Amino acid sequence: MAAKGATVFWEPMTYYNSQSWHKADGYSNGNMFNCTWRANNATFTNDGKLRLALTSPSHNKFDCAEYRTNFNTGYGLYEVSMKPAKGVGTVSSFFTYTGPTDGTPWDEIDIEFLGKDTTKVQFNYYTNGVGGNEKIIDLGFDASQSYHTYAFDWQPDSITWYVDGVAKHKATRNIPKTPGKIMMNLWNGTGVDDWLGPYNGANPLYAYYDWVKYTSN
């Protein structure tokens, strides 16, 4: 239940709502990202889902997808119904982010699925660029096979992550404080085989998102 006076943003992923969302296009995050964001790789299915694609237009070149809000949000409850891609060397995500390109500290809160084992989910966060807070949770199911609800409750003194409404992990140290954008992406890595496993070029791969909800404090 939303707190009295809370703002609720709920988006069914049925079409491209350009008033609220933006598709990354034509650039790469560099370093570990072995692909270029393409707006055409963020599309909507006939049954009303956002589909992020990882594709290869030519040998050893890869295109990926990122979708993010046009506005910033802060403390509150973040929820998503999604189905990540399965594929070694890839990441499907739901997170909040702000950083130097926005003129702010690098603050980030993550829900990440490593495609090498989609029976697990990784939670993480960065505060002013300081990370090292990874926590891997066994789900008891294969997340790539069906939609489930994943969430985190971001408060000034804690972050609590949930799977299908059940609390799975809580952090209380050095919590981020800078509002950021709600983001989702699918990408393939390079030079991070110890984390993601080696990407073998398999494509196309898809991550699907049914809806997103944010409830402020």
Side-chain angles (χ1 to χ4, degrees):
M1 178 184 292
K4 186 177 180 180
T7 297
V8 178
F9 169 72
W10 182 73
E11 183 80 15
M13 293 295 175
T14 54
Y15 72 103
Y16 180 33
N17 177 3
S18 60
Q19 287 189 326
S20 296
W21 298 92
H22 176 75
K23 300 178 182 182
D25 190 41
Y27 62 93
S28 174
N29 285 21
N31 295 325
M32 69 182 72
F33 291 79
N34 190 26
C35 60
T36 301
W37 306 124
R38 301 292 183 191
N40 289 342
N41 278 32
T43 59
F44 293 84
T45 64
N46 290 335
D47 63 344
K49 308 289 192 295
L50 169 64
R51 187 181 80 170
L52 302 185
L54 173 58
T55 59
S56 179
S58 61
H59 183 62
N60 285 337
K61 285 192 173 182
F62 301 99
D63 289 343
C64 48
E66 182 170 85
Y67 202 65
R68 63 178 183 265
T69 55
N70 295 326
F71 53 85
N72 292 343
T73 50
Y75 299 127
L77 180 64
Y78 295 77
E79 302 171 87
V80 65
S81 174
M82 65 175 288
K83 188 167 65 171
K86 182 189 287 286
V88 176
T90 67
V91 177
S92 307
S93 71
F94 174 74
F95 61 109
T96 59
Y97 173 81
T98 190
T101 55
D102 303 310
T104 63
W106 173 12
D107 279 7
E108 180 175 341
I109 304 173
D110 298 304
I111 295 174
E112 296 174 308
F113 294 90
L114 313 186
K116 66 181 181 181
D117 186 357
T118 48
T119 68
K120 297 178 173 65
V121 62
Q122 177 176 284
F123 304 139
N124 195 17
Y125 65 100
Y126 293 83
T127 304
N128 198 19
V130 177
N133 302 300
E134 296 88 349
K135 178 69 173 181
I136 294 177
I137 299 294
D138 286 309
L139 292 168
F141 55 82
D142 185 343
S144 71
Q145 297 304 302
S146 59
Y147 290 94
H148 291 266
T149 301
Y150 307 93
F152 57 85
D153 186 14
W154 176 22
Q155 298 299 323
D157 58 356
S158 67
I159 308 166
T160 306
W161 286 264
Y162 296 84
V163 176
D164 290 329
V166 178
K168 295 293 186 178
H169 179 58
K170 185 173 184 177
T172 57
R173 181 182 64 85
N174 196 26
I175 300 302
K177 62 182 179 181
T178 312
K181 290 178 170 58
I182 302 171
M183 303 182 65
M184 293 156 276
N185 59 31
L186 170 63
W187 54 279
N188 57 305
T190 182
V192 284
D193 291 0
D194 55 337
W195 179 37
L196 304 182
Y199 179 58
N200 63 6
N203 74 92
L205 298 175
Y206 303 106
Y208 296 89
Y209 299 78
D210 189 2
W211 53 265
V212 168
K213 184 178 181 181
Y214 165 69
T215 307
S216 70
N217 281 358

